[in-house]
Amino acid sequence: MSVAVVGAGAFGTALAVALAPHQAVTLWARDAGHASDMQANRRNDRRLPGVDLPDNITISSKLETALACDTLLFAVPMQSLRHLIEHRDLSHRNAVACCKGIEVATGLGPSAILSSARNAAVLSGPSFAVDIARGLPTALTLACENPEAARALQDVLATSMLRLYRTTDVTGVELGGALKNVMAIGCGAVMGAGLGDSARAALLTRGFAEMQRVAMALGAQSETLMGLSGLGDLTLTCTSDKSRNYRLGLALGAGTEFDAATTVEGAATARALRQVATKHALDLPICDTVADLVDGVVDVPGAMIRLMARPLKEE
């Protein structure tokens, strides 16, 4: 089964590096100059510096070359996924979404956008690109509604240092990966503003309650949110400055500049959740506050007052 990673950002490159010792991998880069640099230097110094690219990674800027492979791992920003595959025939391909988020325009997750594929799956869980690329032990969840396809993909994509657990709860895995980014922005803002570890723990915990609220409303299984793609990813992303979402929060809390060119999926997801909350009559105060924070409607002191002044209630 031939494999291509569509997207040569840090995470896509790391996945290609992790899989390369076991099979040939095609790595697609959107920019032809970037692809040429990687092919010549056998490194992706723009996105994942210091990591050598094995010889059996073929780098291409021609999307058709990547899409000719049997299994496609899409490691592109969530908001650009639909445009990338538009008018492409995926009916004979396995499409695995490695992006985390909710499409702002539709409120859909990545598996719905990839639904024309033979099998659409989602790969998610607590992982930083640099750890995967260095061969450090990592465990992720692979979600696919077709159990047989999930087993086949698990066999192809798992390695000695990349352990995959499978599930058929695609919705739960998608939501865990998307919503934890929103909470990471909030937790970063708490720490950036110097509000303390206790405040971060409170926000993380109450944020997890909101994640479960959304997941249950959309038909996910509660145990999925307790697993790697939910609680596991939430814990990692809300406690490490390796997370882009957390770093955005740190900058918002500290009042410092943040690179606007950096993809931060949690900001778009927070905005998209407003539609979900309205449709399902959900109370999501943290998600709503994070959306206002990234849009400049409220600052961190105002966000703190808003959340702390909510009516007292049972847990």
Side-chain angles (χ1 to χ4, degrees), residues 69-90:
C69 293
D70 299 315
T71 296
L72 312 172
L73 278 64
F74 287 92
V76 297
M78 177 63 197
Q79 305 307 319
S80 65
L81 178 60
R82 183 182 297 276
H83 177 71
L84 182 69
I85 66 163
E86 209 166 22
H87 310 304
R88 306 286 182 176
D89 182 12
L90 303 181

Side-chain angles (χ1 to χ4, degrees), residues 178-190:
L179 299 178
K180 60 88 183 178
N181 284 332
V182 178
M183 306 313 163
I185 295 173
C187 286
V190 165

Side-chain angles (χ1 to χ4, degrees), residues 221-298:
Q221 300 168 14
S222 60
E223 55 266 31
T224 302
L225 271 292
M226 295 298 297
L228 290 166
S229 58
L231 184 58
D233 211 358
L234 177 70
T235 302
L236 180 71
T237 313
C238 291
T239 58
S240 174
D241 60 9
K242 290 181 183 178
S243 162
R244 291 168 296 182
N245 293 277
Y246 186 76
R247 291 201 306 272
L248 171 60
L250 285 172
L252 290 170
T256 57
E257 292 294 320
F258 184 81
D259 183 2
T262 301
T263 300
V264 182
E265 297 285 17
T269 300
R271 298 182 185 110
L273 282 169
R274 286 176 165 155
Q275 304 172 42
V276 176
T278 299
K279 180 178 180 180
H280 295 276
L282 296 174
D283 183 29
L284 305 175
I286 294 175
C287 293
D288 189 52
T289 299
V290 169
D292 283 346
L293 187 63
V294 297
D295 286 340
V297 176
V298 66

Side-chain angles (χ1 to χ4, degrees), residues 7-305:
F11 195 71
T13 304
L15 285 174
V17 169
L19 294 172
H22 308 275
Q23 60 197 306
V25 179
T26 299
L27 177 62
W28 175 79
R30 185 185 302 273
D31 180 79
H34 187 199
S36 179
D37 287 345
M38 285 191 288
Q39 188 67 43
N41 301 321
R42 303 310 300 174
R43 287 201 173 190
N44 184 357
D45 287 329
R46 292 191 194 181
R47 302 297 185 187
L48 195 64
V51 175
D52 294 329
L53 303 181
D55 291 339
N56 62 340
I57 295 179
T58 300
I59 301 151
S60 176
S61 61
K62 296 180 180 179
L63 187 57
E64 292 76 10
T65 299
L67 297 186
C69 293
D70 299 315
T71 296
L72 312 172
L73 278 64
F74 287 92
V76 297
M78 177 63 197
Q79 305 307 319
S80 65
L81 178 60
R82 183 182 297 276
H83 177 71
L84 182 69
I85 66 163
E86 209 166 22
H87 310 304
R88 306 286 182 176
D89 182 12
L90 303 181
S91 60
H92 300 292
R93 305 288 181 259
N94 298 308
V96 183
C98 304
C99 42
K100 301 173 182 179
I102 298 174
E103 190 176 42
V104 174
T106 64
L108 296 174
S111 67
I113 298 172
L114 297 173
S115 60
S116 64
R118 178 175 61 194
N119 293 293
V122 178
L123 185 65
S124 188
S127 53
F128 288 137
V130 65
D131 294 341
I132 293 176
R134 290 173 58 197
L136 300 179
T138 304
L140 302 174
T141 301
L142 176 69
C144 183
E145 291 182 355
N146 182 333
E148 292 183 6
R151 289 187 182 90
L153 287 169
Q154 187 181 36
D155 289 341
V156 169
L157 301 178
T159 74
S160 59
M161 289 291 106
L162 187 62
R163 183 173 175 82
L164 303 186
Y165 291 84
R166 66 180 184 271
T167 179
T168 57
D169 184 13
V170 174
T171 299
V173 170
E174 284 185 339
L175 290 174
L179 299 178
K180 60 88 183 178
N181 284 332
V182 178
M183 306 313 163
I185 295 173
C187 286
V190 165
M191 299 308 289
L195 300 180
D197 292 324
S198 298
R200 175 172 58 179
L203 191 141
L204 188 155
T205 305
R206 294 309 305 162
F208 185 56
E210 290 190 23
M211 289 172 60
Q212 290 178 309
R213 209 172 295 155
V214 174
M216 296 306 98
L218 297 183
Q221 300 168 14
S222 60
E223 55 266 31
T224 302
L225 271 292
M226 295 298 297
L228 290 166
S229 58
L231 184 58
D233 211 358
L234 177 70
T235 302
L236 180 71
T237 313
C238 291
T239 58
S240 174
D241 60 9
K242 290 181 183 178
S243 162
R244 291 168 296 182
N245 293 277
Y246 186 76
R247 291 201 306 272
L248 171 60
L250 285 172
L252 290 170
T256 57
E257 292 294 320
F258 184 81
D259 183 2
T262 301
T263 300
V264 182
E265 297 285 17
T269 300
R271 298 182 185 110
L273 282 169
R274 286 176 165 155
Q275 304 172 42
V276 176
T278 299
K279 180 178 180 180
H280 295 276
L282 296 174
D283 183 29
L284 305 175
I286 294 175
C287 293
D288 189 52
T289 299
V290 169
D292 283 346
L293 187 63
V294 297
D295 286 340
V297 176
V298 66
D299 58 11
V300 174
M304 178 190 68
I305 292 170

